[in-house]
Amino acid sequence: MARRVLGRMGAVVAALGTVVVGLAATHPAQAGYASLVVDGGTGEVLNAVNPDEQNHPASLTKMMTLYLTFEAIHQGRLHWEDELPVSRNAANKEPTKLGLEVGRTVSVKDCVLGMIVISANDGATVVGEALAGGSEQVFARMMTDKAHQLGMTNTVFRNASGLPDREQVTTARDMSRLAMALHRDFPQDYHYFATREFDFEGRHLTGHNRLMYRYPGMDGMKTGFTNASGSNLVSSAVHDGRRLFGVVFGGSSAKTRDKLMETLLDNAFANRDTDPKLVALAAGRSLTRVARARGTGRVAHAGRARTVHVAVAPVQRRGHAAASHQRVASGHAGTHVAAKGHAHAKAVKVAGKAAKGKMAGKAHGHHRKVAAE
């Protein structure tokens, strides 16, 4: 018989006692752009543009909700067949969603598939509340705690779904750590990220991670979109036994974001550099000048008073005896980044106006798309 788990989860949460308070960003989150590609076997950073700039994760947030869900299942605190209650808070989430009704129940497995396939905001909230005694706010603190345990030191979560919250921030580097942790810590569950479709209450639901459907060797992971974040994507692919993890933030559209990810992975698998101009172009920036130099570049946006910094990380290719390198290392206790030596960087000067086109999509009932594609 399916279990009702909300009560027992409340007791677990009460025992935690860990609260993250007042985490502030070094730089305010903005609708900027970033990219990162990491070799999953060696931890080698193969591409990095703005890897530590804070941006809004949008539905990439659900990757942490899924991490905590998988963890609870393996610890016996949740089971795939458990039926979880749907609160008013969960039912009222904006699309995309499963369309869950207040007072009904939904299985853990349907929530997981809903998060992965259609980026269901209501499903994410149901699981989060179940794991946190009925409080999404408490669950968000649990998410942030786990993020820091995994080395995601520039990340703060405020909800389970990724719906807009100005204080919910992360970086491309932090999301690569989470992606690698999901693959490392839950190898028996990672295959769910490759799910393209599933049936729910008489409806056949199909996904929108279109790059995964056509890119050879890609087997996950997650898309995301809000107006504040632009189009985000975390992907993983394997060629000849070599696994890479890629992150893109701030694409001007799903199409340009996907094209950038495809280029990044193609070049990384072939041990080629990707020009940082392409990352800016995918975000809708109009380039007029590119300069390569030591240190940190400044990217100026015409028509804006502010200037944002673009750090292009150094790349160490296999077989090169470079004195400096960056490595994303995975350990049992978490994932961390160690930067060694003095790093050369590329400075990119960009003059242009950020694209302001509205990004909207249809969801269930023709609602405005908010946190998924």
Side-chain angles (χ1 to χ4, degrees), residues 249-272:
F249 273 102
S252 61
S253 69
K255 183 177 180 180
T256 57
R257 174 206 66 195
D258 290 355
K259 179 60 178 175
L260 174 61
M261 180 66 79
E262 184 175 14
T263 300
L264 289 167
L265 292 176
D266 283 348
N267 287 341
F269 277 120
N271 295 314
R272 297 189 302 260

Side-chain angles (χ1 to χ4, degrees), residues 98 117-118 196-200 203-207 364:
L98 289 168
V117 176
I118 67 164
R196 299 186 181 192
E197 57 191 12
F198 78 111
D199 294 320
F200 178 72
R203 289 175 289 154
H204 185 69
L205 304 178
T206 57
H364 297 292

Side-chain angles (χ1 to χ4, degrees), residues 128-149:
E129 289 177 341
L131 288 172
S135 170
E136 186 178 10
Q137 184 178 15
V138 171
F139 183 67
R141 292 199 292 268
M142 294 167 60
M143 295 169 73
T144 303
D145 281 346
K146 180 59 67 175
H148 295 170
Q149 290 173 26

Side-chain angles (χ1 to χ4, degrees), residues 87-323:
S87 70
R88 186 170 302 278
N89 176 48
N92 287 342
K93 293 298 180 183
E94 294 189 66
T96 54
K97 58 198 293 184
L98 289 168
L100 303 176
E101 298 178 358
V102 180
R104 301 287 295 275
T105 62
V106 60
S107 72
V108 170
K109 188 167 187 177
D110 280 339
C111 287
V112 167
L113 291 175
M115 281 187 272
I116 290 171
V117 176
I118 67 164
S119 204
N121 296 321
D122 49 359
T125 306
V126 165
V127 173
E129 289 177 341
L131 288 172
S135 170
E136 186 178 10
Q137 184 178 15
V138 171
F139 183 67
R141 292 199 292 268
M142 294 167 60
M143 295 169 73
T144 303
D145 281 346
K146 180 59 67 175
H148 295 170
Q149 290 173 26
L150 295 174
M152 301 169 64
T153 56
N154 290 313
T155 294
V156 178
F157 291 112
R158 291 298 187 224
N159 58 53
S161 63
L163 282 166
D165 187 306
R166 64 183 179 84
E167 295 181 345
Q168 186 153 259
V169 294
T170 190
T171 68
R173 196 185 305 276
D174 278 4
M175 290 311 300
S176 74
R177 291 167 177 156
L178 179 54
M180 294 174 72
L182 279 161
H183 184 265
R184 178 195 69 224
D185 296 343
F186 307 107
Q188 62 274 65
D189 301 315
Y190 177 79
H191 68 92
Y192 284 108
F193 285 102
T195 307
R196 299 186 181 192
E197 57 191 12
F198 78 111
D199 294 320
F200 178 72
E201 295 186 347
R203 289 175 289 154
H204 185 69
L205 304 178
T206 57
H208 43 247
N209 191 351
R210 294 175 181 84
L211 180 61
M212 184 179 72
Y213 306 156
R214 62 180 173 81
Y215 190 89
M218 187 173 289
D219 54 8
M221 299 183 71
K222 190 73 189 72
T223 63
F225 168 80
T226 64
N227 286 327
S229 71
S231 285
N232 301 340
L233 180 63
V234 174
S235 298
S236 185
V238 180
H239 285 184
D240 298 325
R242 183 189 184 197
R243 178 174 291 277
L244 301 182
F245 294 88
V247 182
V248 169
F249 273 102
S252 61
S253 69
K255 183 177 180 180
T256 57
R257 174 206 66 195
D258 290 355
K259 179 60 178 175
L260 174 61
M261 180 66 79
E262 184 175 14
T263 300
L264 289 167
L265 292 176
D266 283 348
N267 287 341
F269 277 120
N271 295 314
R272 297 189 302 260
D273 289 335
T274 298
D275 194 320
K277 287 186 299 183
L278 298 180
V279 183
L281 286 168
R285 271 57 170 183
S286 177
L287 301 178
T288 59
R289 183 170 51 154
V290 176
R292 296 182 183 275
R294 294 176 183 269
T296 300
R298 298 178 69 81
V299 177
H301 300 276
R304 295 188 180 188
R306 65 181 178 84
T307 300
V308 299
H309 295 274
V310 173
V312 182
V315 174
Q316 181 192 20
R317 296 300 181 194
R318 293 179 179 178
H320 287 217

